[in-house]
Amino acid sequence: MEATLSVIGGRWKGVVLFHLLKGKKRFGELRRHLPNCTQRMLTLQLRELEEDGLVKRTVFPEIPPRVEYELTPFGRSVEPILVGMRDWGEKYKARL
């Protein structure tokens, strides 16, 4: 449990990973999905996920530079956990 939470724990990592389940996203797209997350925090979370091998960052040599984020095969392995967390959260909200 501790190892899992050390990688996907925190306020934004799970949400970022969940949005990347649907496919590649540019930084701006992720920002729109996370309006309460600051640009700095999103950058830090993405860097940590990249360092842990869950997210792949691709930089295209264009002006202005274009950057895309996507899940690695290892990152895809957390899909059942993320879907389970979403399902539990929906049940919890319905209970309130």
Side-chain angles (χ1 to χ4, degrees), residues 12 27 31 34-44:
W12 302 110
F27 186 84
R31 284 282 321 266
L34 306 163
N36 295 322
C37 183
T38 65
Q39 181 172 336
R40 182 179 186 289
M41 180 55 70
L42 180 56
T43 299
L44 290 171

Side-chain angles (χ1 to χ4, degrees), residues 14-92:
V15 180
V16 168
L17 291 169
F18 187 78
H19 286 295
L20 290 175
L21 287 174
K22 298 172 185 132
K24 295 177 185 175
K25 299 273 186 282
R26 293 179 67 178
F27 186 84
E29 291 177 274
L30 289 170
R31 284 282 321 266
R32 283 190 291 281
H33 287 297
L34 306 163
N36 295 322
C37 183
T38 65
Q39 181 172 336
R40 182 179 186 289
M41 180 55 70
L42 180 56
T43 299
L44 290 171
Q45 300 290 274
L46 285 165
R47 282 185 189 156
E48 289 177 16
L49 290 167
E50 187 180 5
E51 288 172 14
D52 289 332
L54 278 79
V55 170
K56 177 184 172 192
R57 179 179 185 259
T58 304
V59 180
F60 295 90
E62 303 171 352
I63 302 213
R66 178 169 54 111
V67 179
E68 288 182 346
Y69 295 92
E70 64 183 308
L71 293 178
T72 64
F74 181 58
R76 285 239 164 250
S77 69
V78 299
E79 183 172 3
I81 297 166
L82 297 171
V83 170
M85 289 172 68
R86 179 206 58 201
D87 294 346
W88 185 89
E90 288 174 357
K91 289 175 188 171
Y92 175 76

